[in-house]
Amino acid sequence: MSEILGRIRAHIGDLSAYPPGKPISELERELGVSGVIKLGSNESPLGPSPRAIQAVAESIGELHRYPDGSCFHLRAAVSKQLGVAPENLLFGAGSDEILEILAKVFLNPGDEVAYFWPSFAMYPIVAAGMGGKVRPVELRSPFALDPESLCDAIGPNTKLVFIANPNNPTGTSLGQAELEVLLQRVPQDVVLVLDEAYIEYMRRDDRPRTLEAVSMYPNLVVMRTFSKIYGLAALRVGYAVADAELIHCLERARHPFNVNSLAQAAAEAAIEDQEHVQAARELTLQGLKQLETGFDALGLRYIPSDANFVLVDVEEDGPALDRRLQGRGVIARSLAAFGLRHYLRVTAGLPEENARFLEALRQELGGS
Ligand SMILES: Cc1ncc(COP(=O)(O)O)c(C=O)c1O
C-alpha cells in the first residue's frame, strides 16, 4: 500500500462503496447489442412530465449562472403542494445528500445509527462514513418492519434512526399505528428520519400521516425525492420536511449550490403536474399486477409490495440468474449483497418490459 493510502481515516478505509445498478449503456457495450431493458434501479418507466422537460429546455440558456442557492421557486411549489411552510423544507442533490447532511450534522465518532436491515444501502454508508456505529435491526419474517424492535435498539449513544417507508428492497411498509409507536418511543433527542422515497406508490389505506406529525415532533425528518415517481433521477433532487429550527441547522452543512438550476426548474414543473404523477402511479400499479401474475404462473413466491418494485424468491442463486438474465438483455437486481441470495428485486416497467423480463425469467428457470 502506498504511504498516502495508509493515512486514510480508518472508517473510510473500511467502507464498501454503494453498489449501483448496471446502466443500460454498459450492458449494451458488453453484449454488443441494443435494446437492453433496465428494471434494476426503481426508476419510473413513464419518465418525467413533459412540463419538466420543457422547463429544462427553457433553463439551458442560463448555464453560465450559478443556481439559486435557496431554491426559491421550487421551495414555493413544494410548500404549496404539501401544505407545509417554506422554512420547513431543505433541498438536496437527491435524498442521498440529505442523508449525508444529517450524518454530518449529528454524528460524532462512535455515535450510533439504527435502521432496519435489509434496507437502503446508503444508511450504513453515510453512518460509517462519518465514523458512526451502525445498528442494523433485522426485519421480522416475512420482512415486516416492527417498530418495537427498532426502538429496542436505541441506546444512549443513538443519534439517528433511518427508516425507509415503504422499505427498499422489500417493498414492505409501516402504517399510521406503527408511526405512532415510533413517535411515542423514539426519544426526543434522537432524530427519527422517515425516508418516503416510494410513498406515492403506497397502496395501504392507513398511510402514515408524517407531514402532520412534523409540527408536533421537532425530532422528526420526512424525506422525499424527485427520483422515483417524478422520473427525474438523473437530475438529483430530494428534500426534507422538518421543524424550521432543525432545517436551519441542516442548511449550514450543505453546499451553497447543491441543487443545480436545471434540476430546480424540472422539479418545480414536475410537482405542479400531479396528473402525470397519477399516470405514473397507475402504470406502476398495473406493472406490479402483471409481474405478480407472471410470478404466480411460474410458481414463484413474492413479497406483496407497497413500492414500485417487487422482491421475488427465485429459489436458486440470485447473482447467477441475474447474470444470465443480463445475457438476455434484461437488467434486474440480485440482492445477495443484502444477504438475500435467492431473491431478485424487479422494478415494475412498461407492459412490454415486464413481459420481456417474465419471458426471460421463464426461459432461464428451465421453462421450454
Ligand atoms: C429508500 C431510498 N431512499 C433514498 C433513495 C435515494 O434517492 P435519491 O435519488 O433522491 O438520492 C433511494 C434510491 O434508490 C431509496 O431507495
Side-chain angles (χ1 to χ4, degrees), residues 18 41-42 92-97 99 119-123 163-169 195-198 223-228 232-233 236-239 309 345:
Y18 178 80
S41 295
N42 302 340
S95 32
D96 283 344
E97 192 197 7
L99 288 170
S119 189
F120 184 41
M122 284 305 290
Y123 299 160
I163 300 175
N165 188 39
N167 188 43
N168 175 15
D195 175 355
E196 298 189 333
Y198 303 97
M223 280 193 355
R224 302 233 173 130
T225 181
F226 283 90
S227 298
K228 305 299 175 186
L232 292 171
R236 318 299 305 125
V237 198
Y239 61 91
F309 52 83
R345 189 195 68 192

Side-chain angles (χ1 to χ4, degrees), residues 174-232:
L174 297 167
Q176 177 65 19
E178 289 113 326
L179 171 68
E180 281 167 19
V181 171
L182 289 166
L183 294 171
Q184 292 314 314
R185 280 203 58 194
V186 174
Q188 292 289 300
D189 60 353
V190 173
V191 184
L192 170 60
V193 182
L194 282 164
D195 175 355
E196 298 189 333
Y198 303 97
I199 196 74
E200 297 89 351
Y201 300 106
M202 195 179 255
R203 286 184 276 184
R204 61 190 300 160
D205 297 328
D206 61 338
R207 189 186 279 206
R209 296 187 295 277
T210 46
L211 295 180
E212 272 175 33
V214 162
S215 55
M216 288 170 287
Y217 294 87
N219 62 328
L220 175 63
V221 175
V222 179
M223 280 193 355
R224 302 233 173 130
T225 181
F226 283 90
S227 298
K228 305 299 175 186
I229 207 161
Y230 289 95
L232 292 171

Side-chain angles (χ1 to χ4, degrees), residues 75-320:
R75 185 178 297 273
V78 174
S79 158
K80 185 166 166 220
Q81 179 61 35
L82 265 54
V84 302
E87 59 270 24
N88 290 115
L89 294 167
L90 170 79
F91 291 90
S95 32
D96 283 344
E97 192 197 7
I98 308 272
L99 288 170
E100 198 154 66
I101 292 171
L102 285 161
K104 188 169 157 190
V105 168
F106 281 100
L107 297 184
N108 288 313
D111 285 345
E112 293 180 7
V113 180
Y115 51 87
F116 288 115
W117 197 253
S119 189
F120 184 41
M122 284 305 290
Y123 299 160
I125 293 176
V126 297
M130 287 294 157
K133 278 203 182 129
V134 294
R135 287 278 171 268
V137 173
E138 248 184 70
L139 296 178
R140 280 202 343 233
S141 167
F143 303 120
L145 286 71
D146 172 24
E148 302 282 3
S149 63
L150 189 59
C151 292
D152 290 343
I154 296 174
N157 297 326
T158 309
K159 288 270 189 74
L160 293 167
V161 173
F162 289 144
I163 300 175
N165 188 39
N167 188 43
N168 175 15
T170 59
T172 45
S173 64
L174 297 167
Q176 177 65 19
E178 289 113 326
L179 171 68
E180 281 167 19
V181 171
L182 289 166
L183 294 171
Q184 292 314 314
R185 280 203 58 194
V186 174
Q188 292 289 300
D189 60 353
V190 173
V191 184
L192 170 60
V193 182
L194 282 164
D195 175 355
E196 298 189 333
Y198 303 97
I199 196 74
E200 297 89 351
Y201 300 106
M202 195 179 255
R203 286 184 276 184
R204 61 190 300 160
D205 297 328
D206 61 338
R207 189 186 279 206
R209 296 187 295 277
T210 46
L211 295 180
E212 272 175 33
V214 162
S215 55
M216 288 170 287
Y217 294 87
N219 62 328
L220 175 63
V221 175
V222 179
M223 280 193 355
R224 302 233 173 130
T225 181
F226 283 90
S227 298
K228 305 299 175 186
I229 207 161
Y230 289 95
L232 292 171
L235 286 178
R236 318 299 305 125
V237 198
Y239 61 91
V241 186
D243 172 70
E245 279 183 324
L246 174 57
I247 292 284
H248 190 65
C249 295
L250 300 176
E251 287 278 2
R252 292 183 210 148
R254 69 168 173 86
H255 292 235
F257 305 110
N258 57 342
V259 183
N260 73 71
S261 44
L262 304 184
Q264 289 186 36
E268 180 193 348
I271 204 162
E272 285 169 354
D273 189 354
Q274 289 296 314
E275 252 177 57
H276 186 83
V277 174
Q278 274 316 312
R281 183 172 193 272
E282 278 310 308
L283 181 68
T284 285
L285 296 189
Q286 281 167 20
L288 287 174
K289 261 195 221 137
Q290 186 183 356
L291 290 171
E292 290 171 358
T293 308
F295 295 146
D296 285 338
L298 292 169
L300 297 177
R301 198 178 62 93
Y302 55 86
I303 308 301
S305 172
D306 251 335
N308 65 343
F309 52 83
V310 57
L311 197 59
V312 58
D313 182 352
V314 291
E315 297 171 1
E316 63 165 270
D317 190 65

Side-chain angles (χ1 to χ4, degrees), residues 338-361:
F338 293 81
L340 302 172
R341 206 155 176 101
H342 288 180
Y343 286 86
L344 291 184
R345 189 195 68 192
V346 53
T347 310
L350 297 170
E352 56 273 25
E353 293 174 328
N354 301 327
R356 205 173 127 196
F357 164 77
L358 287 167
E359 178 55 20
L361 186 63

